[in-house]
Amino acid sequence: MTHATPELVQLDDLAEPRFTPEAQQLREMMSALAADCPLDADALHARAIADTGLDDFGPDDYRERLDVYLAALRDIDAMHGPGVVNFFGQLSQWLKNRLLLADLLTRHPEIDDIELLPPVVIAGLPRTGTTHLHNLLGATPTFRTLPYWESFEPFPLAAEVGIQPDPRAARMDVAVTVMNTLMPHFVLMHEMTTEHVHEEIQLLANDFSTMFMETLAYVPRWTDYYLAHDQTSTYQYLATQLKALQFLRGGRRWLLKSPQHLEQLRVLDKVFPDVAVVCTHRDPVPVAISMVAMLTYSARMHRSPVPVAEMAAAWIDRLELMLTALLRDRDVIAPARSIDVRFDDFMADELGVAERVYGLVGESVSDDAGAAMTAYLAGHQRGRLGRVVTSGEMFGLNEDELHARFAPYVSRFLS
């Protein structure tokens, strides 16, 4: 019996993206819709109202954030038609989610009385094992997680309540197919499927304040605005959404994960008392280069050409800010409810690390949970899909300089 060698991919079209004939046909179809998808607040609100039949968006402080983000998107002079359609769909969906949540809370005020158990939060840069740990733990019945389809459309339309199979999952099947057609190598950097356990950044996005919005496009104006504002109210809005989702589809204890939590530990501790935090760590230089590869590759979804070197330099600055915030705030989370996990240690003892996470919140690993994690590991060997080959040189980055910049983080967490 022979096994195929995992694919090694060289990204040689980052600055000037190339597309397959199938992808180009799809792009042309999207471009034809661009004139009807203006990136304008009034148009976005009108679409959300028309699609839901609702008009209460909840607390209106999000409007300023939306306006700032739209202005930042308009700063992108190389945005193409498919990108406009993409953003219109994304932003109008976030508004629809607000409408549906406000309506659900009005009809079921008892949601506010739900008490959330302290969640487990995985905080680490991409490529440090966060996704693997998230999915490993999420394979068990112990934790409540978000499948990708639910993260994008958390609250059902009135006409679709109770319909099985859930139309939201069917729509995500189509969206994943489109994404894989336009970005065939993205799966090598971050696997995404309809049922894949996903981050709650999509829920944070419903309040129009999340680092996720920075990853969707290179928007310096938005980044400056976001960093200048406290995120407590948005995390409180997240908590409300988690209660609503628990009301709709059950669950005992949430398992959350996102890189942005690295710089929001104080907010997490304030909004989720007794939160348990797992910080994952790995040499930040290859991690940063890998993240830059993912972001510059996905930029083809909305612009061409892509300013690869400019984006790379900006994201190195951004990651340094995140790690500096982690160094400042790591001790905010008490040792009794937090652990630091090095990537190599996790790879050497995956189930052992999982047991340590269970211990943080006083949970025991049941036979069912242990079997579920073992089954997950059997089907998700590291690198099974292949990998993208990257280097600092690809992005105009000097790796020696990066090591010097990230030295304080390495000294604290990896020495």
Side-chain angles (χ1 to χ4, degrees), residues 10-317:
Q10 301 279 351
L11 299 177
D12 60 358
D13 67 334
L14 290 175
E16 299 286 348
R18 298 189 300 272
F19 297 93
T20 65
E22 181 184 16
Q24 190 55 40
Q25 183 179 24
L26 182 59
R27 284 164 47 81
E28 290 170 1
M29 292 171 58
M30 294 175 69
S31 290
L33 302 173
D36 296 322
C37 298
L39 298 181
D40 169 82
D42 289 342
L44 289 163
H45 283 87
R47 174 61 63 85
I49 291 170
D51 286 351
T52 61
L54 303 169
D55 60 9
D56 178 7
F57 290 91
D60 65 1
D61 57 305
Y62 75 91
R63 291 176 182 266
E64 178 180 287
R65 298 190 288 273
L66 171 59
D67 287 341
V68 173
Y69 193 64
L70 288 171
L73 291 178
R74 287 192 287 271
D75 288 342
I76 302 174
D77 56 11
M79 186 179 295
H80 47 55
V84 171
V85 174
N86 229 352
F87 277 112
F88 187 88
Q90 184 89 255
L91 296 172
S92 62
Q93 183 62 53
W94 297 347
L95 290 170
K96 287 165 61 175
N97 292 341
R98 291 188 68 92
L99 289 169
L100 292 166
L101 175 62
D103 177 64
L104 180 65
L105 294 174
T106 298
R107 290 185 290 106
H108 295 283
E110 66 270 26
I111 289 173
D112 284 332
D113 297 326
I114 293 175
E115 291 189 14
L116 297 173
L117 289 176
V120 172
V121 176
I122 302 169
L125 295 180
R127 320 306 294 173
T128 63
T130 56
T131 299
H132 186 50
L133 181 58
H134 195 201
N135 281 271
L136 175 64
L137 295 168
T140 75
T142 309
F143 298 106
R144 173 67 155 92
T145 57
L146 286 167
Y148 192 22
W149 64 265
E150 188 181 32
S151 75
F152 194 74
E153 292 189 63
F155 314 112
L157 294 164
E160 296 180 351
V161 173
I163 295 178
Q164 293 297 328
D166 198 305
R168 293 175 290 174
R171 285 191 287 271
M172 184 51 67
D173 283 339
V174 174
V176 169
T177 298
V178 169
M179 182 174 68
N180 289 339
T181 300
L182 296 175
M183 298 191 298
H185 301 313
F186 190 80
V187 67
L188 306 184
M189 295 178 272
H190 188 67
E191 184 178 5
M192 303 286 284
T193 68
T194 297
E195 295 293 340
H196 201 77
V197 176
H198 194 55
E199 299 180 15
E200 65 282 359
I201 47 171
Q202 289 281 3
L203 302 183
L204 290 163
N206 295 332
D207 202 40
F208 294 88
S209 192
T210 166
M211 184 182 173
F212 179 47
M213 296 161 73
E214 298 175 68
T215 68
L216 292 177
Y218 175 47
V219 280
R221 183 195 299 210
W222 164 257
T223 299
D224 291 344
Y225 175 88
Y226 170 73
L227 291 173
H229 287 76
D230 180 80
Q231 300 301 309
T232 299
S233 64
T234 293
Y235 275 72
Q236 290 169 335
Y237 192 74
L238 169 64
T240 298
Q241 292 181 84
L242 297 179
K243 291 181 181 182
L245 288 166
Q246 209 164 299
F247 173 81
L248 290 171
R249 293 212 313 133
R252 283 183 58 250
R253 188 189 301 277
W254 282 94
L255 175 67
L256 308 177
K257 186 268 282 191
S258 176
Q260 88 164 52
H261 299 319
L262 288 170
E263 61 184 5
Q264 301 297 335
L265 294 181
R266 292 182 182 275
V267 173
L268 274 171
D269 196 50
K270 184 190 309 182
V271 176
F272 298 102
D274 298 321
V275 62
V277 177
V278 181
C279 292
T280 59
H281 306 287
R282 193 178 186 181
D283 181 350
V285 173
V287 164
I289 292 170
S290 179
M291 186 172 179
V292 166
M294 184 166 60
L295 293 169
T296 53
Y297 179 69
S298 59
R300 67 187 56 209
M301 292 291 285
H302 68 273
R303 69 185 302 171
S304 182
V306 175
V308 173
E310 182 181 354
M311 286 182 63
W315 270 103
I316 295 302
D317 291 343

Side-chain angles (χ1 to χ4, degrees), residues 289 390-399:
I289 292 170
T390 59
S391 68
E393 186 179 9
M394 289 173 58
F395 307 101
L397 300 173
N398 182 299
E399 295 188 26

